[in-house]
Amino acid sequence: MTIRGTAKALSSIAVVAAIGLCAMPGTAHAGVVYQSRTLSGESLTDAGSARWAEAHLIADDSSLYGAKFNPDGEVLTAWDRMADGHANRIEMIVYKGFYYDSAFVADRDTIYVASADGNKTHNLGSPDGSGDIPEDRGVEFRVCVNETSQCSDWVRAVS
Ligand SMILES: [Ca+2]
Ligand SMILES: [Ca+2]
């Protein structure tokens, strides 16, 4: 039973890898193997060099922990579709300028979304809500299974 389950899980991973969903090796927790997937692109509606971005932890072809940043208004939408007792922990960094350099961090914050929250939208202003994010700043984030070190890759956006 256990061996068959493992074999099935491994074949799912092989399929995911074969279609190029993610190059990262998965990490296991409570029997769930997640793949990191990140996406980003140029905003079609926001000014300047704004870029949207998404970060996901994927299992069985579903984004179980995810977050999307829309630079048009600096809105983050996040979800936790895995009722495992762990929230989605979104770690965010806003830089003082366009460059993603640790010497120029303007703000760091952590946002939590529980599975009961559904798709939860945060109008960021700055990540901690203390002010506006000016345009054309570097924004980085990743999603994590809370209380663990299982996280997606960092993804980069521009406000
Ligand atoms: Ca913007
Ligand atoms: Ca969860």
Side-chain angles (χ1 to χ4, degrees):
M1 191 67 178
T2 301
I3 292 169
R4 288 182 61 187
T6 303
K8 188 180 176 192
L10 287 173
S11 76
S12 297
I13 295 164
V15 169
V16 168
I19 62 173
L21 202 57
C22 182
M24 283 275 293
T27 52
H29 176 73
V32 179
V33 177
Y34 294 103
Q35 303 290 324
S36 168
R37 187 182 191 194
T38 58
L39 303 162
S40 69
E42 190 176 333
S43 173
L44 299 179
T45 57
D46 202 11
S49 51
R51 292 181 69 83
W52 57 268
E54 305 180 8
H56 304 275
L57 284 172
I58 290 176
D60 292 333
D61 296 332
S62 295
S63 173
L64 299 182
Y65 289 84
K68 298 182 178 185
F69 174 78
N70 183 350
D72 191 350
E74 286 71 45
V75 173
L76 185 83
T77 301
W79 55 86
D80 172 359
R81 296 180 185 145
M82 187 68 178
D84 54 1
H86 299 281
N88 182 355
R89 181 179 84 245
I90 303 109
E91 300 177 353
M92 299 201 69
I93 303 172
V94 178
Y95 292 91
K96 294 175 182 172
F98 181 79
Y99 299 104
Y100 307 93
D101 186 315
S102 59
F104 300 104
V105 172
D107 199 6
R108 292 177 185 267
D109 207 5
T110 308
I111 293 168
Y112 301 91
V113 176
S115 57
D117 293 333
N119 276 10
K120 193 171 183 183
T121 297
H122 296 259
N123 191 349
L124 291 172
S126 61
D128 63 1
S130 64
D132 291 333
I133 301 178
E135 297 291 73
D136 292 334
R137 289 205 175 192
V139 175
E140 273 185 315
F141 62 96
R142 65 179 183 174
V143 297
C144 301
V145 180
N146 198 27
E147 293 107 6
T148 80
S149 57
Q150 291 180 88
C151 297
S152 71
D153 293 331
W154 288 94
V155 68
R156 292 175 167 181
V158 177
S159 62

